């Protein structure tokens, strides 16, 4: 037993030393979508707070790299920056959904190193403030009568996490989700603009994405895809479960690093994320943006990401999507 404890202590000390040996040079956070959505929020908020808390000295710049809801960034990392120690890339549950369906090309969930989570979000169903739909039941009824009569739009293509949210509601209501009229946008920001502009009727987005428009009175929420009602600005919004559709969709937000990033850099980034999650200043900033606690870093997050991707492969088959 003493040998085992000594060995573990030596490994922990080694990781700490490696992390101390590394300092990022011109660090960068890649948001794999256009400005305004969840990826963008993940990068900008985390980068700002890592700098403000002094956990990372050099200013972290955010680079938006839209395309394929993460596919372009994923492939760029593989092709050009596989060993880059100074870059972290925003990821969400939607990334695992797309990976599960082969939408990132030949690459799989095993082709990056999953770094850690900094919070969780929850899916919501939003309409314009003057929408004819007043409840989730109104939407379901309209879709039952004619699945093409409601224009649903969000970031990502058919099969993406935003598509999955209403698809699971329709499946629960006995409607084939593949008949849904769905318009794909490059990120949540564009889709919210389309909703407010009257180009779509329904936006299945995330709580953090829509909070500003909700508080400004530009949109209404018909449901949250959470187990219980969300606090604050969302307190009056019923869950889908309350309305007879037990559909839940938590969105984990975090980061990955390139597959060949040096061990010292991986130890460094996991270390600063662990400290950030424990910092009251971060917890306050996270809550102000509508994110909820979800602290998981390093090997535990790596295993979690791979399991979730495997789970989504099964779910894709369940709703009739072929890989």
């Amino acid at each position: 037993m003493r040998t085992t404890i000594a060995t573990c202590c030596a490994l922990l000390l080694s990781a700490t030393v490696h992390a101390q040996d590394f300092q990022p040079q011109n660090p960068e956070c890649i948001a794999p979508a256009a400005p305004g959505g969840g990826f963008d929020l993940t990068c900008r908020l985390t980068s700002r707070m890592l700098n403000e808390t002094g956990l990372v000295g050099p200013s972290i710049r955010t680079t938006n790299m839209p395309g394929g809801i993460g596919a372009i960034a994923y492939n760029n990392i593989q092709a050009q920056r596989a060993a880059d120690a100074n870059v972290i890339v925003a990821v969400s549950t939607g990334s695992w959904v797309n990976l599960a369906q082969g939408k990132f090309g030949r690459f799989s969930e095993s082709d990056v190193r999953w770094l850690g989570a900094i919070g969780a979000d929850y899916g919501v169903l939003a309409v314009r403030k003057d929408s004819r739909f007043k409840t989730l039941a109104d939407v379901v009824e309209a879709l039952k009568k004619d699945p093409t009569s409601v224009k649903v739009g969000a970031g990502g293509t058919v099969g993406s996490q935003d598509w999955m949210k209403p698809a699971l509601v329709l499946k629960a209501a006995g409607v084939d989700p593949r008949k849904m009229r769905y318009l794909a946008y490059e990120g949540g920001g564009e889709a919210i603009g389309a909703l407010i502009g009257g180009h779509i009727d329904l936006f299945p987005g995330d709580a953090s994405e829509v909070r500003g428009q909700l508080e400004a009175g530009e949109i209404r929420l018909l449901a949250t895809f959470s187990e219980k009602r969300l606090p604050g600005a969302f307190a009056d919004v019923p869950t889908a479960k309350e309305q007879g559709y037990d559909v839940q969709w938590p969105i984990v937000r975090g980061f990955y690093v390139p597959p060949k990033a040096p061990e010292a850099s991986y130890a460094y980034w996991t270390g600063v994320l662990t400290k950030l999650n424990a910092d009251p200043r971060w917890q306050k900033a996270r809550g102000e943006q509508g994110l909820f606690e979800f602290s998981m870093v390093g090997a535990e997050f790596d295993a979690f990401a791979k399991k979730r991707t495997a789970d989504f492969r099964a779910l894709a088959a369940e709703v009739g999507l072929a890989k």
Side-chain angles (χ1 to χ4, degrees):
M1 179 63 71
R2 284 194 296 271
T3 302
T4 302
I5 293 174
T7 301
C8 290
C9 288
L11 289 172
L12 287 172
L13 179 60
S14 175
T16 302
V17 170
H18 281 312
Q20 290 174 344
D21 287 345
F22 174 80
Q23 288 296 320
Q25 303 296 317
N26 194 24
E28 176 184 8
C29 185
I30 292 178
F39 285 137
D40 193 57
L41 169 71
T42 301
C43 264
R44 294 186 189 278
L45 177 63
T46 307
S47 297
R48 175 171 64 82
M49 292 306 297
L50 283 172
N51 285 149
E52 286 186 8
T53 56
L55 290 170
V56 176
S59 179
I60 307 171
R61 74 183 191 277
T62 293
T63 300
N64 292 93
M65 192 177 291
I69 312 303
I72 295 296
Y74 210 80
N75 281 263
N76 177 269
I77 289 293
Q78 304 295 334
Q80 300 180 29
R81 307 179 70 172
D84 194 332
N86 297 295
V87 64
I88 60 176
V89 187
V91 69
S92 76
T93 297
S95 308
W96 301 327
V97 171
N98 287 347
L99 275 169
Q101 296 173 50
K103 293 185 177 181
F104 283 14
R106 62 187 178 88
F107 299 110
S108 76
E109 65 271 25
S110 297
D111 289 313
V112 297
R113 298 192 72 180
W114 302 100
L115 188 62
I118 47 82
D121 207 346
Y122 288 92
V124 299
L125 206 57
V127 295
R128 277 168 52 101
K129 61 183 178 182
D130 57 353
S131 171
R132 69 185 188 275
F133 300 121
K134 306 302 180 186
T135 66
L136 181 58
D138 292 342
V139 174
V140 172
E141 185 62 29
L143 289 167
K144 278 184 174 180
K145 289 181 180 178
D146 180 3
T148 66
S149 67
V150 181
K151 290 180 288 185
V152 183
T157 57
V158 170
S160 67
Q161 73 161 345
D162 286 341
W163 181 89
M164 283 282 189
K165 298 165 195 170
L168 290 173
V169 172
L170 291 181
K171 186 173 181 293
V175 179
D176 184 351
R178 291 172 296 182
K179 294 180 179 179
M180 180 170 53
R181 185 179 180 185
Y182 182 84
L183 303 176
Y185 292 88
E186 188 54 64
E190 287 188 11
I192 293 170
L195 179 70
I196 294 173
H199 304 294
I200 57 176
D201 303 307
L202 199 65
F203 171 57
D206 306 337
S208 66
E209 289 179 309
V210 303
R211 179 173 175 169
Q213 288 76 18
L214 177 65
E215 292 177 335
E218 293 293 331
I219 63 171
R220 288 187 291 108
L221 297 186
L222 303 184
T224 63
F225 295 112
S226 51
E227 183 180 4
K228 299 177 180 178
R229 289 200 183 194
L230 300 179
F234 306 95
D236 293 331
V237 182
T239 66
K241 185 177 181 179
E242 283 180 61
Q243 301 175 75
Y245 302 94
D246 191 5
V247 177
Q248 297 177 34
W249 199 275
I251 301 112
V252 176
R253 297 206 177 278
F255 302 93
Y256 66 82
V257 296
K260 298 178 182 178
E263 193 61 40
S265 68
Y266 187 76
Y268 172 86
W269 288 113
T270 54
V272 297
L273 285 188
T274 299
K275 292 175 182 176
L276 182 71
N277 281 328
D279 194 308
R281 291 169 291 180
W282 164 252
Q283 294 161 7
K284 181 176 184 291
R286 179 186 63 201
E288 288 173 348
Q289 292 297 325
L291 291 175
F292 304 88
E293 182 179 3
F294 194 95
S295 303
M296 186 182 292
V297 178
E300 185 183 10
F301 184 66
D302 190 81
F304 177 83
K306 291 170 181 174
K307 183 182 185 304
R308 290 297 281 160
T309 306
D311 291 343
F312 286 133
R313 285 197 180 94
L315 179 59
E318 185 182 326
V319 296
L321 294 172
K323 180 176 177 179

